[in-house]
């Protein structure tokens, strides 16, 4: 009797000493976030800067057919990769689609919702798109409506690397974009704090998403154009946004 007891004790001690397997899809201490850049838009296909709110919400500045296809393919790939997490969040009322009010982002968000509804035919809470101005395109000031956009963007990004608080040509500073993005995340964190299954998709723009990543990584907004530190989003691309430290919830009642 003594030998079996000793063997059982040894086996138990070995078992408890082994690390537990990581639980797939474990609950994180903060809401999960995914960034999604809008698909190709009419302005981008024309190499034309479209950053003012009035022009941005104009349906004529929405997605091209290629942009719609990009959004659909990206949505389907995201669903295929994260189906269990998405389903659970949706069933718990914790799947949020938060978009810039610009037509190109809103239309991308609409395609995402359409693909989600096509995939998840079972009964689930209604899925609405939430428009948040903090996710809008960066305001490019006096360059609004100008083309070709590439050389103009490079002039601005060179300035950002030198002084992220700078506002030459009336362009919204990279630091200001960082602050408004961080403020939105803090507010969403406060609103989602009671739901451990929360999944939030942020549908936005190239510069806005790059600069939001600097906030997530606790870097200066000046780093947003450094590809070795911040990976840019391609049109229609969707991927996880990882915070180095959980963002502090915004103060409020």
């Amino acid at each position: 009797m003594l030998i079996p007891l000793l063997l059982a004790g040894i086996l138990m001690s070995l078992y408890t000493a082994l690390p537990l397997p990581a639980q797939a899809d474990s609950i994180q201490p903060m809401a999960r976030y995914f960034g999604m850049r809008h698909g190709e838009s009419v302005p981008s296909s024309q190499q034309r800067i479209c950053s003012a709110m009035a022009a941005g919400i104009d349906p004529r500045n929405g997605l091209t057919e290629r942009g719609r296809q990009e959004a659909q393919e990206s949505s389907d790939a995201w669903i295929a990769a994260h189906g269990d997490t998405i389903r659970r969040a949706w069933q718990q009322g914790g799947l949020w689609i938060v978009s810039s009010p610009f037509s190109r982002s809103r239309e991308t968000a609409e395609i995402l919702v359409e693909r989600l509804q096509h995939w998840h035919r079972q009964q689930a809470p209604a899925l609405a798109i939430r428009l948040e101005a903090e996710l809008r395109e960066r305001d490019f000031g006096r360059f609004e409506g100008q083309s070709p956009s590439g050389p103009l963007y490079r002039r601005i990004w060179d300035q950002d690397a030198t002084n992220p608080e700078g506002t030459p040509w009336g362009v919204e500073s990279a630091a200001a974009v960082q602050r408004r993005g961080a403020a939105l995340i803090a507010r969403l964190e406060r609103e989602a704090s009671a739901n451990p299954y929360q999944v939030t998709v942020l549908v936005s723009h190239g510069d806005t998403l790059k600069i939001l990543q600097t906030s997530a990584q606790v870097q200066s907004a000046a780093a947003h154009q450094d590809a070795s530190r911040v990976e840019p989003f391609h049109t229609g691309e969707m991927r996880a946004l990882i915070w180095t430290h959980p963002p502090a919830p915004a103060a409020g009642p």
Side-chain angles (χ1 to χ4, degrees):
M1 177 66 74
L2 181 60
I3 292 175
L5 287 175
L6 288 172
L7 287 173
I10 292 170
L11 289 172
M12 180 59 71
S13 63
L14 288 171
Y15 175 79
T16 54
L18 292 173
L20 292 174
Q23 183 181 3
D25 198 25
S26 59
I27 302 304
Q28 300 299 315
M30 58 174 283
R32 294 182 183 87
Y33 291 91
F34 292 85
M36 184 177 192
R37 185 180 175 185
H38 62 77
E40 182 190 69
S41 68
V42 172
S44 62
S45 70
Q46 299 170 344
Q47 298 187 51
R48 170 171 54 88
I49 292 180
C50 179
S51 65
M53 182 66 76
I57 63 175
D58 189 331
R60 294 174 295 182
N61 289 320
L63 296 178
T64 62
E65 188 55 42
R66 176 183 174 183
R68 298 186 65 82
Q69 184 67 29
E70 288 175 335
Q72 180 173 319
E73 291 175 356
S74 182
S75 297
D76 289 346
W78 181 66
I79 292 167
H82 301 282
D84 290 343
T85 298
I86 295 167
R87 184 181 291 107
R88 184 172 60 186
W90 198 349
Q91 290 172 343
Q92 297 296 324
L95 179 58
W96 290 356
I97 311 300
V98 186
S99 174
S100 157
F102 279 37
S103 59
R104 53 192 186 263
S105 294
R106 179 179 48 77
E107 290 173 12
T108 299
E110 289 170 353
I111 291 170
L112 172 59
V113 169
E114 177 186 301
R115 300 310 297 166
L116 283 164
Q117 291 172 337
H118 176 77
W119 164 72
H120 191 43
R121 296 181 181 277
Q122 298 178 3
Q123 185 175 1
L127 192 58
I129 297 170
R130 173 172 171 172
L131 300 180
E132 293 287 355
E134 289 93 338
L135 289 177
R136 67 189 181 275
E137 176 64 283
R138 182 181 185 182
D139 189 335
F140 288 103
R142 281 178 247 163
F143 295 136
E144 174 67 19
Q146 294 189 32
S147 61
S149 55
L152 299 175
Y153 287 142
R154 282 191 289 273
R155 288 177 66 186
I156 295 164
W157 295 334
D158 287 345
Q159 166 65 32
D160 291 342
T162 302
N163 178 16
E165 291 283 359
T167 58
W169 314 291
V171 173
E172 181 181 16
S173 74
V177 177
Q178 187 187 64
R179 284 190 288 270
R180 62 170 158 94
L184 173 64
I185 296 301
R187 179 155 51 85
L188 293 175
E189 278 295 292
R190 176 164 57 87
E191 294 178 19
S193 61
N195 192 339
Y197 302 106
Q198 188 71 32
V199 171
T200 304
V201 180
L202 305 172
V203 187
S204 189
H205 307 264
D207 263 30
T208 307
L209 286 169
K210 285 190 301 178
I211 295 170
L212 184 59
Q213 288 179 94
T214 66
S215 179
Q217 297 166 15
V218 196
Q219 298 183 62
S220 164
H224 82 90
Q225 194 51 28
D226 183 346
S228 68
R229 301 166 72 184
V230 175
E231 184 181 358
F233 280 77
H234 301 293
T235 54
E237 184 181 358
M238 187 175 188
R239 67 170 184 265
L241 293 171
I242 307 299
W243 263 256
T244 301
H245 303 287

